[in-house]
């Protein structure tokens, strides 16, 4: 569903998974590099050089190994345990992975993410809808007033610079402002 700043752990982010056919949400606390990698992909940004998760996907494809799905199978003491389930020919390969890395890979290849129902019952919350029927969630990056007075062209130049400097959080924010000005 998205990423927001963690209110539980300083310097971390909360990745919010959404139930496919339901309104339960599961927060997973992840580190900054994983949050940045996931956000970059979700925002449709293309970094000038491949990120680690992109490199892993390319490597797997070059070896004809396909990620079938991610299985989040255990939750213990605030930690989610996951495995990547790959297929190579007829062979199934299971690899233990940090949940944040597993999700970063799954979204890149559009692989499903499964979670044990017991875990969902234990850690999920119901997402409330606002009056317009839209779900509310804090944005990944708070808007900065100084950018709002700039023209779309100025923002586009800053966006290109942010991507070149690999400042993807800033790039994501600028892209959103450009879209907002276009509407």
């Amino acid at each position: 569903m998205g990423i927001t700043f963690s209110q539980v752990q300083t310097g971390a982010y909360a990745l919010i998974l959404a139930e496919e056919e339901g309104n339960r949400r599961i927060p997973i606390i992840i580190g900054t590099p994983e949050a940045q990698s996931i956000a970059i992909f979700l925002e449709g940004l293309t970094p000038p050089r491949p990120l680690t998760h992109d490199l892993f996907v390319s490597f797997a494809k070059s070896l004809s190994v396909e990620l079938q799905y991610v299985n989040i199978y255990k939750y213990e003491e605030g930690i989610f345990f996951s495995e990547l389930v790959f297929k190579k020919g007829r062979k199934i390969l299971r690899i233990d992975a940090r949940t944040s890395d597993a999700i970063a890979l799954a979204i890149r290849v559009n692989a499903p993410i499964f979670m044990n129902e017991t875990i969902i019952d234990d850690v999920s919350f119901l997402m409330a809808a606002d009056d317009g029927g839209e779900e509310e969630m804090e944005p990944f990056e708070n808007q900065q007033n100084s950018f709002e007075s700039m023209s779309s062209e100025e923002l586009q130049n800053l966006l290109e610079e942010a991507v070149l400097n690999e400042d993807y959080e800033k790039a994501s924010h600028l892209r959103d402002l450009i879209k907002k000005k276009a509407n």
Side-chain angles (χ1 to χ4, degrees):
M1 180 179 174
I3 298 174
T4 185
F5 292 105
S6 172
Q7 296 179 9
V8 177
Q9 190 173 341
T10 305
Y13 292 85
L15 170 66
I16 310 298
L17 296 181
E19 185 177 32
E20 191 171 81
E21 293 181 20
N23 58 351
R24 294 185 293 181
R25 305 296 181 251
I26 298 98
I28 298 175
I29 304 303
I30 63 174
T32 301
E34 296 81 13
Q36 195 173 47
S37 178
I38 292 168
I40 287 165
F41 185 82
L42 292 177
E43 299 294 333
L45 298 173
T46 304
R49 298 177 39 93
L51 300 177
T52 304
H53 296 109
D54 300 315
L55 177 64
F56 187 90
V57 168
S58 295
F59 182 74
K61 284 181 183 177
S62 72
L63 296 175
S64 301
V65 177
E66 183 181 341
L67 179 60
Q68 296 293 294
Y69 62 91
V70 168
N71 180 28
I72 303 172
Y73 63 88
K74 184 168 122 181
Y75 178 77
E76 188 175 279
E77 297 180 17
I79 299 171
F80 290 89
F81 293 80
S82 299
E83 65 181 351
L84 299 162
V85 180
F86 291 96
K87 184 176 182 184
K88 179 168 176 63
R90 294 177 157 183
K91 189 172 183 177
I92 299 295
L93 308 164
R94 295 176 184 275
I95 299 174
D96 184 45
R98 293 186 311 170
T99 301
S100 56
D101 289 326
I103 291 169
L105 293 172
I107 63 173
R108 282 169 165 77
V109 298
N110 201 28
I113 301 167
F114 299 114
M115 184 179 289
N116 181 304
E117 185 70 29
T118 305
I119 298 171
I120 296 172
D121 290 340
D122 288 346
V123 301
S124 69
F125 63 91
L126 295 176
M127 184 65 133
D130 67 13
D131 294 338
E134 294 289 323
E135 293 178 347
E136 292 185 14
M137 188 175 149
E138 273 188 54
F140 180 73
E141 179 78 32
N142 292 331
Q143 291 188 351
Q144 297 176 8
N145 293 331
S146 63
F147 292 143
E148 291 189 15
S149 62
M150 292 182 174
S151 71
S152 294
E153 185 177 311
E154 291 171 314
L155 290 172
Q156 184 64 40
N157 290 336
L158 286 174
L159 172 62
E160 291 170 11
E161 181 182 327
V163 170
L164 285 174
N165 291 329
E166 299 184 5
D167 186 351
Y168 302 114
E169 291 180 42
K170 182 177 180 181
S172 172
H173 174 68
L174 290 166
R175 193 223 50 215
D176 290 345
L177 284 174
I178 291 168
K179 282 185 179 179
K180 182 179 173 184
K181 283 187 177 280
N183 291 334

